Amino acid sequence: MKKKLSLTLYWKCQLIGWSVAALYWGYTGITSERFDPLLGLLLFITDVGFYILITHLYRNFALRHQWQLLGLKQLLPRIITSVIVLGLVFTLVTIVKIYFLKCWFIPGFQQPFAEFVQVNRQPIFVAGVRLMSIWLLAYHLYQYEQREIRITKENARLAIITREAQLNNLSAQLNPHFLFNSLNNIKALVIENPESARRGIDLLSDILRTSLYSGDMMLTFVNNEIELVKDYLELEKLRFEERLQFTIKVDDELLKISILRLSVQTLVENAIKHGISKQKDGGLVSIQVEKFPEHICISVQNPGHLDIDESASGVGLKNLQERLGLQYKGKATFIITGRMPGVVLATIMIPNL
């Protein structure tokens, strides 16, 4: 079964727009007394063909230099320059085309080319500037609208994924096993160590409060994220006791830097779930946030053995990777590796804005 050929919106607009313009010019010729149908047809065909070619070449040039991504302040000078250049090209092409067609089809036409240029260059240039201004304005307005639509879609998708991350985080904290262990640990401390029991309740309520009432924030300050991580680790320590040790190292200048919310938390949860909980003697979870000239590095190291299949199928890590890609437009990276035997290292690299 043959595929049906279909024109894109761009080509439909090109053909319709320049055909209407050429028909308008042809109408002025039809009303004259010496109208030549063959000459009129050739003028129509060449008008549509040449002017589509000129504007299409401009479109390719603009796309190659990514003008569709520029802001208004950067784009406006380029449009003004382009209008003048395209107006000059329009003038040259039109004058040469009309002059030679008249020489071929109008008997006795012997006007010198220089005189023909002198008489017609100004009105043709003005018409060319007007037409190219309309074309460029329509084209870039359409590109701007498409860019805004893409940005809106990406923001909406990012908001949805962020909400899913909040729900995943809340689900992990509220699952029966987690709550059972946490409440049992707190219950055991009520008689033996009431102060630690109260602390456990406070930690659990802080974590739940953060998950429930942080709103739709996509980013958070480093210090806020680290405080959440500390609460989570301290609560887990009630369960693992001496089996869980942790260190946190953050450059002071990074405390007020914005990072993706729940990014460090996700890595720490993964380290405990797939690392500490599976080690008989537990181990050390090392968290570090460092600043480099071109990026900020967030790393979480824990004892364990890297399982590629298990890591790839994890909902939390897959969610984190997609959120990083959307938030930082593909400029952030996430890598989890077996740094050495018995050690797993998860690293996030985000651009240093």
Side-chain angles (χ1 to χ4, degrees):
M1 192 173 180
K2 294 182 178 180
K3 292 183 178 179
K4 292 183 179 179
L5 295 176
S6 59
L7 293 175
T8 62
L9 178 62
Y10 165 77
W11 284 111
K12 288 178 181 177
C13 291
Q14 281 279 64
L15 288 170
I16 293 173
W18 287 116
S19 295
V20 170
L23 287 172
Y24 172 77
W25 298 324
Y27 174 76
T28 60
I30 292 175
T31 56
S32 65
E33 297 178 358
R34 295 180 296 176
F35 176 73
D36 185 336
L38 181 58
L39 176 60
L41 178 61
L42 285 174
L43 284 171
F44 175 83
I45 294 172
T46 53
D47 283 346
V48 174
F50 281 128
Y51 303 145
I52 284 180
L53 176 62
I54 292 170
T55 51
H56 186 64
L57 289 174
Y58 167 83
R59 173 180 178 265
N60 288 343
F61 176 85
L63 289 175
R64 186 162 57 251
H65 292 82
Q66 297 186 330
W67 286 9
Q68 73 275 15
L69 303 179
L70 297 176
L72 184 59
K73 289 184 178 180
Q74 293 80 23
L75 183 60
L76 191 57
R78 291 172 170 80
I79 291 179
I80 293 173
T81 303
S82 299
V83 166
I84 297 172
V85 172
L86 292 179
L88 290 171
V89 174
F90 177 94
T91 303
L92 177 62
V93 170
T94 303
I95 286 177
V96 172
K97 172 176 67 71
I98 294 176
Y99 181 81
F100 283 103
L101 285 176
K102 283 191 173 185
C103 288
W104 291 336
F105 287 92
I106 299 179
F109 181 80
Q110 297 180 346
Q111 185 179 16
F113 181 75
E115 181 181 337
F116 184 82
V117 171
Q118 183 70 25
V119 172
N120 294 284
R121 64 183 180 183
Q122 184 174 347
I124 292 177
F125 177 74
V126 172
V129 168
R130 185 184 300 118
L131 286 168
M132 293 304 166
S133 297
I134 295 171
W135 191 95
L136 288 172
L137 182 62
Y139 175 74
H140 285 289
L141 282 175
Y142 175 77
Q143 290 292 333
Y144 178 81
E145 180 188 24
Q146 291 301 303
R147 185 177 67 176
E148 290 300 305
I149 291 173
R150 286 194 299 272
I151 292 174
T152 301
K153 286 182 178 179
E154 287 182 0
N155 288 340
R157 189 181 177 198
L158 182 57
I160 292 171
I161 292 174
T162 302
R163 172 60 68 185
E164 289 176 353
Q166 294 170 348
L167 293 175
N168 287 335
N169 181 66
L170 189 58
S171 176
Q173 294 167 358
L174 288 178
N175 68 69
H177 182 72
F178 176 86
L179 279 179
F180 176 78
N181 286 326
S182 299
L183 292 174
N184 257 3
N185 290 335
I186 295 171
K187 178 183 177 182
L189 293 170
V190 168
I191 297 175
E192 297 176 8
N193 194 335
E195 186 175 345
S196 295
R198 287 195 296 270
R199 179 58 181 160
I201 293 171
D202 290 340
L203 289 168
L204 184 59
S205 64
D206 285 344
I207 293 172
L208 298 180
R209 187 183 303 109
T210 300
S211 299
L212 288 169
Y213 300 111
S214 292
D216 298 324
M217 292 188 302
M218 300 177 190
L219 299 175
T220 187
F221 291 133
V222 169
N223 62 328
N224 291 336
E225 182 77 1
I226 293 300
E227 287 302 316
L228 174 64
V229 168
K230 286 179 179 178
D231 288 345
Y232 175 76
L233 285 169
E234 193 174 343
L235 180 60
E236 286 286 43
K237 195 169 175 59
L238 293 175
R239 176 158 63 108
F240 291 102
E241 296 180 337
E242 296 305 316
R243 289 177 60 207
L244 172 60
Q245 304 295 323
F246 63 88
T247 62
I248 300 175
K249 182 181 177 182
V250 182
D251 294 347
D252 291 339
E253 59 182 314
L254 297 178
L255 293 177
K256 290 300 180 181
I257 295 293
S258 293
I259 60 173
L260 196 64
R261 185 173 174 271
L262 301 179
S263 54
V264 185
Q265 170 76 4
T266 300
L267 297 184
V268 172
E269 284 188 24
N270 189 71
I272 292 177
K273 180 179 179 181
H274 299 290
I276 300 298
S277 66
K278 295 184 179 181
Q279 304 299 311
K280 181 179 179 181
D281 297 325
L284 175 68
V285 175
S286 299
I287 303 157
Q288 193 164 2
V289 183
E290 302 174 276
K291 182 179 181 181
F292 293 91
E294 296 182 356
H295 62 266
I296 294 171
C297 176
I298 301 169
S299 61
V300 175
Q301 181 176 292
N302 62 272
H305 300 280
L306 180 62
D307 187 330
I308 300 296
D309 295 333
E310 190 176 39
S311 298
S313 62
V315 175
L317 295 185
K318 287 170 63 177
N319 184 285
L320 176 61
Q321 283 183 295
E322 189 165 1
R323 288 195 296 136
L324 283 168
L326 285 170
Q327 182 65 42
Y328 297 102
K329 312 298 182 185
K331 296 179 181 179
T333 59
F334 169 67
I335 304 172
I336 182 165
T337 58
R339 191 176 186 182
M340 60 185 73
V343 178
V344 176
L345 177 67
T347 305
I348 295 173
M349 307 282 272
I350 62 175
N352 185 10
L353 302 178

